[in-house]
Amino acid sequence: MIFRFLQFRRFSHRLFVLFVGLLGAALATTYFVVTSTNESNARENARANLELAARLVDSAIKQRIEFLVGSAKVMTGDYAFKQTFSDGDARTLSSALVSFTGRVGAPVITLYDPDGKLLANSDHAMDNENAGPFAFLIQQATEKDLTQHSGFSYLKGQLHVLVVVPFYAPYPNIFGWFGLAFPLDREFVGKISAISGVELTYVNVEDPDQPRVLATTLPVAGTAPTARAAAAAKRAREARELRPETEMVALPEERYVTLIRFQEMLAEDYIALVLQRPPTELASARDLENAIKLTSLLALAVATLLVLFIARSVSQPVVALVGHTQRIARGDYVVRNQDYRADELGRLSLAFDDMARGLAERDRVRDLLDKNVSPEVAAALLRDGAILGGQEREVTILFADLRGFTTLSEKLTPQELLTLLNRYLDRMSAAIEAHGGVIDKFIGDAIMALFGAPVAQADAADRALAAALAMEKALVQLNAELAAEGIAPLAIGVGVNTARVVAGNIGSARRLNYSVIGDGVNVASRLQSLTRTADYRTNVITSAATLAALREPTKFTARPLGTVPVKGRAEPVEIFAVE
Amino acid sequence: MPRFLLSLSFALLLTAARLTAAAVVQVHVTDAKQSSVADAVVSLIPLDAAPVFTPSTTPVVVAQQGQEFEPYVTVIVPGTRVNFPNQDNIRHQVYSLSKTKPFEIPLYGPGTEQSLLFERPGIVALGCNIHDWMAAYIVIVATPYYLKTATDGMARLVDLPPGRYRLEVWHPRLSGEANREVTIAAGDTAQQSITVILKPDRRIRRAPDGAGGGYK
Ligand SMILES: [Cu+2]
């Protein structure tokens, strides 16, 4: 199937598909490998950056906790405070805590007894209900015997990090707990964002269908981070696993790389921290992709032009050669190629022209022959390089004539007559050619044949007599057939003479005939006519010259018939009947 | 009637025995790993009669020495006066926030001796506002039969009248309570082994002396 598809009618198409196809495939592969690697690298980098920012958040929170723990420890060392605490003066304690908020920069400072009961606070809004998360932390710390504890929770509806620190008197006797808190607000995320260049958003995903932004660095609290956080929270809930997620988020104006981290809260809930970064790494990756795309297309265009040029340079001479071949097939040998190039095609053109020249020569020769002789003879002539010019040579000439043809022609219709004649001539010709004779010409119902010309034959005389006897035999066969058809038998007379004659092309410039001329031809004709003489009782008469030329005289039986005068000859010719 | 006499005579006999043959209880305090526990306060509180105890006439001393309290654990009976002599060349500010005896002795210098009377039974955790690592305990027990275990975890209580007692063990790191009722026979030498569960030993690591003075 594919091979059929690849069978192109034009070489240039094949070259184009192969070359441009291969190059295109190579470029496409390179493009996809490079871009996918690039993209995944950029993604990995972006993710690493986001994770760094996430660790920065963790670190900042941890530091803040440590600072508050340290501050609480210092506060417990305050004698006056210790005294007040021991006295149980809640009002004084509360006002002392307000003073501490100024000292340590924690907006919320509260004080609890060892059982987690609120004793005093720096903020009137921090009532027992709001102090619940602190009590929870104190309970956990007591159970686990911790020297400090912290967690995420809402205080007065706002996201806070809570820290509880025991109040020793002295260590390790716990006489109470400090509860401190700081908010994860816009100011906090803003500071991290300023350092890391990452946009941060805390999202309440308690109800994933109604996510709520708690704090964000984004100028407008976009719906995208909340939606992403909500979707991630849903997935997390289904998977029952709080796994950080990285994904590409398409905001209308630009793409962000997003990392979502979940943060567990004290109250068996969690919030999502959405970290987002403009995809600067991805932008550079896109630039590279575009550069590769452009270069690839350029390379393909250049390759296409190159292929077309090469294909043209190859196919044009080929097409020209095809044209020439077709013209030669029609017999026009004059065409010649031009611009012989140095490559194989040039050599082919050169060889082609040589061939055309050779064909022209050969055809010219064959043309001359074809007008006169049978194809075999023509081929033999060409093969042996016979010279067709006038030449004197010894030739045996055979003349055959149909006797009583005139009487026959009166009985038959012209059509029947011609059919019968051709039938007769065909048999005779076959007999002659079977013995290597060349039909020189048909003269009405008479045949003139040559042996030893145009190609010399050493046994020309033997062949001629053998042919004469074969003709007699062939006629007997034909007569048998004719008798069956109710036609009267035919009779034949054959004269054979060997003589030196002039052989060559005879005729006008337009029409040439290869033939022989000379006295010997007339003698052969005369011998043929002598077969009509009833006294001789023979169909085949030959001359002494022929008998003398025989190579194997014992093969034939020659009966002397005496001598006869021949017109134009001083000496009479000695004749023999051949049987 | 003869039955009554019998009982009386028995009681007289017992009294005679008590006068003549006081018992001994040897208590061994171990922790969960079967190691001997030192500085454990072992006390036997009589259950059959109100305990009779007399505070020491010479004051008990909890000294501040080398920026530590010495000793770490002190056992007294109610009504005992404790002196807090500062034997260092720096000042201290000893306090307690314990409900048994909250107090604060404002900064006092070397050579000064402060004195306080401890009237209620209970535990008093001592601290110093200047030195966070300084910590000591005064245990006030309402019985004459008490002792602190030595390094081998042993406390040998002698001259015990026969009868029922509550054997109590306290330690600064004690988790929960450790007590049991014991009956002591006249002239007996009883062995008592008590295993206590202790919290991990967590004390504030004392910072190296002298800010720029380097280490010893
Ligand atoms: Cu001190």
Side-chain angles (χ1 to χ4, degrees), chain A residues 185-301:
Chain A
D185 53 6
R186 206 195 171 297
E187 195 193 333
F188 176 79
V189 291
K191 276 180 190 164
I192 306 285
S193 179
I195 300 167
S196 62
V198 168
E199 303 291 350
L200 300 154
T201 307
Y202 274 111
V203 185
N204 178 330
V205 286
E206 195 176 345
D207 178 3
D209 294 325
Q210 283 181 314
R212 191 161 52 85
V213 172
L214 298 167
T216 184
T217 54
L218 289 171
V220 184
T223 53
T226 49
R228 290 287 142 191
K234 270 184 189 170
R235 285 194 289 275
R237 242 156 244 222
E238 277 159 21
R240 295 173 189 280
E241 189 180 7
L242 302 179
R243 240 196 320 210
E245 290 189 18
T246 317
E247 56 179 320
M248 303 296 299
V249 179
L251 291 183
E253 61 276 13
E254 55 184 326
R255 291 169 76 197
Y256 272 106
V257 195
T258 303
L259 176 69
I260 295 168
R261 282 279 188 94
F262 293 105
Q263 174 64 58
E264 277 182 276
M265 302 285 281
L266 287 178
E268 289 186 354
D269 189 26
Y270 50 87
I271 51 166
L273 172 60
V274 184
L275 300 108
Q276 290 175 308
R277 199 171 191 285
T280 46
E281 293 93 349
L282 288 177
S284 64
R286 294 271 177 280
D287 286 349
L288 184 63
E289 270 172 40
N290 287 335
I292 291 173
K293 221 186 285 179
L294 202 71
T295 323
S296 298
L297 288 176
L298 212 67
L300 273 180

Side-chain angles (χ1 to χ4, degrees), chain A residues 490-567:
Chain A
L490 300 172
I492 190 175
V494 180
V496 177
N497 183 37
T498 303
R500 289 194 75 79
V501 294
V502 173
N505 287 308
I506 301 156
S508 69
R510 273 197 196 157
R511 183 170 169 76
L512 280 172
N513 253 343
Y514 179 83
S515 193
V516 290
I517 43 169
D519 186 39
V521 180
N522 299 331
V523 172
S525 175
R526 172 85 179 118
L527 295 181
Q528 179 270 128
S529 59
L530 282 173
T531 59
R532 287 187 191 127
T533 308
D535 288 347
Y536 291 155
R537 298 189 320 281
T538 185
N539 290 327
V540 181
I541 292 177
T542 187
S543 65
T546 301
L547 291 179
L550 283 173
R551 292 187 75 190
E552 292 177 80
T554 52
K555 271 192 169 179
F556 305 97
T557 313
R559 177 161 50 87
L561 297 175
T563 55
V564 290
V566 176
K567 198 164 79 183

Side-chain angles (χ1 to χ4, degrees), chain B residues 136-160:
Chain B
Y137 298 89
I138 295 172
V139 183
I140 304 117
V141 291
T143 172
Y145 316 112
Y146 61 82
L147 208 59
K148 211 168 68 169
T149 56
T151 46
D152 61 357
M154 300 297 286
R156 188 182 161 84
L157 296 156
V158 296
D159 293 337
L160 294 164

Side-chain angles (χ1 to χ4, degrees), chain B residues 64 67 69 90-94 128-131 134:
Chain B
Q64 290 92 67
Q67 297 172 33
F69 287 110
I90 51 152
R91 295 197 284 176
H92 292 286
Q93 181 163 359
V94 176
C128 172
N129 276 328
I130 308 294
H131 308 104
M134 286 175 69

